[in-house]
Amino acid sequence: DLRGVLPDLAELEAVEADPSLLESHRDAYLDDPRFADQFVYLLGERWHTLVDTYNAFYYDYRLDVMDEYQFKRSVGSEPLRLMAQTAVDDRPWTDIVTLDTSMANEMLNDIWDLEGYPEGATGWHPVRYGDGRPAAGVLSTNGLWWKYTTTEFNQNRSRAAAVSRLLLCEDLLSRPVEFEVDEELLQSADVSSMVRTEPGCLACHAVIEPLAATLYGFLWVEDKSVVEMESYHPEREIVGPVELGVELAYWGEPISGLEDLGRSIAADPRFGRCAVESMTGTLLRRTLGLEDFSLVNRLHSDFVTDGMRMRS
């Protein structure tokens, strides 16, 4: 689980002879160079970004067909690599939504407007985007929003729901909602007005609309344009509140934009709890139930006490 390989016979025999060695082996595994790669794979099981079909293709960047897999894997790994590096460096998990850097390999460095990649280097290294996008960690990565895309009609609502589910374990799509579906609702051309006024819609959209409005810098006018997709558009930030008819807010609390959204998530008690629950479920390879409540409570307490460091 920590290195991606099984313990060797000598390690098994040593721990069998002296079980107290288990912790020292575990700590050594966390310092193993293979931990970063393995952690990316673990995160990928939940974030689902590792390989996907995007609206941009390898040939848009004049890459060879033999580079197609590496192109997809590199794009999808970007947000996961940022999170993995946070764990490897033993930094607070809040960094994943507040950092002003991302991660890139040599391919991403070649095709995107990035700064800070070491000259002549290979592999994954910290970088900054050259388009002035806000400091919001994974929320400012192309890799996340190429996977969790949106449309002109959806207007970032699906992205807002993904943010809530992935970072807070608050699945807005699973909320029980009741309302009458009549012909007027089904045939209305003004759905945006409906979701702000229909009580059944408001159960989710009172949260979704203000969150979606903070993501307008990533709303593409043309969703199959590489130039549109690879860049942040700060001039569109003011469009969100106008188009959706709401003020920027995080669960009812006013915020100023994407960077403020990252800080609000970092300060939300659900964020740390979600990190613990999701990683525990991933490592146990099962869905957690009520019988796991005390376990998660203990792990969460240790996590907070340790400064929200994933190694704990």
Side-chain angles (χ1 to χ4, degrees), residues 1-8 11 29 32 34-35 38 41:
D1 283 332
L2 297 180
R3 298 183 304 173
V5 297
L6 294 171
D8 62 34
E11 291 170 323
Y29 295 166
D32 191 292
R34 291 168 289 190
F35 170 64
Q38 176 64 5
Y41 299 142

Side-chain angles (χ1 to χ4, degrees), residues 28-84:
Y29 295 166
L30 287 167
D31 291 326
D32 191 292
R34 291 168 289 190
F35 170 64
D37 288 342
Q38 176 64 5
F39 198 65
V40 165
Y41 299 142
L42 291 173
L43 291 168
E45 293 181 14
R46 181 165 183 270
W47 288 69
H48 298 164
T49 64
L50 274 179
V51 173
D52 210 310
T53 299
Y54 309 111
N55 286 339
F57 301 90
Y58 68 93
Y59 48 75
D60 291 318
Y61 291 100
R62 299 185 180 181
L63 297 172
D64 188 88
V65 65
M66 298 301 294
D67 295 323
E68 180 180 12
Y69 175 81
Q70 185 186 358
F71 168 72
K72 292 180 176 180
R73 174 55 64 98
S74 297
V75 171
S77 294
E78 182 201 5
L80 309 183
R81 285 284 168 181
L82 186 151
M83 291 187 278

Side-chain angles (χ1 to χ4, degrees), residues 199-261:
C201 298
L202 280 169
C204 294
H205 283 273
V207 172
I208 288 178
E209 306 296 292
L211 283 181
T214 69
L215 303 174
Y216 261 67
F218 286 104
L219 186 66
W220 310 315
V221 173
E222 171 51 62
D223 65 2
K224 292 180 175 61
S225 164
V226 172
V227 176
E228 282 277 292
M229 291 175 60
E230 68 185 18
S231 301
Y232 185 77
H233 307 278
E235 73 280 0
R236 295 174 191 167
E237 292 174 352
I238 62 173
V239 178
V242 176
E243 284 289 309
L244 297 178
V246 296
E247 297 296 324
L248 303 183
Y250 179 79
W251 262 265
E253 292 293 325
I255 58 176
S256 60
L258 182 58
E259 192 167 334
D260 209 11
L261 172 62

Side-chain angles (χ1 to χ4, degrees), residues 36-268:
D37 288 342
Q38 176 64 5
F39 198 65
V40 165
Y41 299 142
L42 291 173
L43 291 168
E45 293 181 14
R46 181 165 183 270
W47 288 69
H48 298 164
T49 64
L50 274 179
V51 173
D52 210 310
T53 299
Y54 309 111
N55 286 339
F57 301 90
Y58 68 93
Y59 48 75
D60 291 318
Y61 291 100
R62 299 185 180 181
L63 297 172
D64 188 88
V65 65
M66 298 301 294
D67 295 323
E68 180 180 12
Y69 175 81
Q70 185 186 358
F71 168 72
K72 292 180 176 180
R73 174 55 64 98
S74 297
V75 171
S77 294
E78 182 201 5
L80 309 183
R81 285 284 168 181
L82 186 151
M83 291 187 278
Q85 196 62 43
T86 300
V88 168
D89 293 342
D90 201 25
R91 299 194 311 268
W93 198 240
T94 49
D95 278 10
I96 73 165
V97 287
T98 58
L99 281 173
D100 64 350
T101 58
S102 185
M103 297 288 290
N105 60 7
E106 59 273 26
M107 175 174 280
L108 296 185
N109 184 58
D110 286 343
I111 65 176
W112 289 344
D113 177 18
L114 302 174
E115 301 169 350
Y117 193 85
E119 187 174 353
T122 58
W124 291 89
H125 298 276
V127 294
R128 285 182 174 84
Y129 281 93
D131 56 13
R133 62 186 65 195
V138 294
L139 299 175
S140 286
T141 61
N142 285 349
L144 183 66
W145 300 130
W146 282 26
K147 160 62 181 177
Y148 294 99
T149 188
T150 187
T151 64
E152 184 180 358
F153 179 78
N154 182 255
Q155 294 181 299
N156 288 322
R157 294 180 177 101
S158 59
R159 287 173 164 173
V163 168
S164 178
R165 177 176 60 83
L166 292 169
L167 292 170
L168 304 175
C169 295
E170 182 86 27
D171 189 352
L172 298 173
L173 300 182
S174 70
R175 286 186 174 184
V177 175
E178 291 185 10
F179 59 89
E180 293 293 328
V181 181
D182 55 26
E183 286 300 313
E184 180 184 358
L185 179 63
L186 292 174
Q187 297 178 11
S188 173
D190 187 14
V191 175
S192 293
S193 176
M194 286 265 183
V195 299
R196 292 194 301 270
T197 57
E198 188 74 29
C201 298
L202 280 169
C204 294
H205 283 273
V207 172
I208 288 178
E209 306 296 292
L211 283 181
T214 69
L215 303 174
Y216 261 67
F218 286 104
L219 186 66
W220 310 315
V221 173
E222 171 51 62
D223 65 2
K224 292 180 175 61
S225 164
V226 172
V227 176
E228 282 277 292
M229 291 175 60
E230 68 185 18
S231 301
Y232 185 77
H233 307 278
E235 73 280 0
R236 295 174 191 167
E237 292 174 352
I238 62 173
V239 178
V242 176
E243 284 289 309
L244 297 178
V246 296
E247 297 296 324
L248 303 183
Y250 179 79
W251 262 265
E253 292 293 325
I255 58 176
S256 60
L258 182 58
E259 192 167 334
D260 209 11
L261 172 62
R263 289 193 291 261
S264 297
I265 291 173
D268 192 325

Side-chain angles (χ1 to χ4, degrees), residues 13 157 201 285 292:
E13 290 177 340
R157 294 180 177 101
C201 298
R285 294 294 192 275
D292 300 302

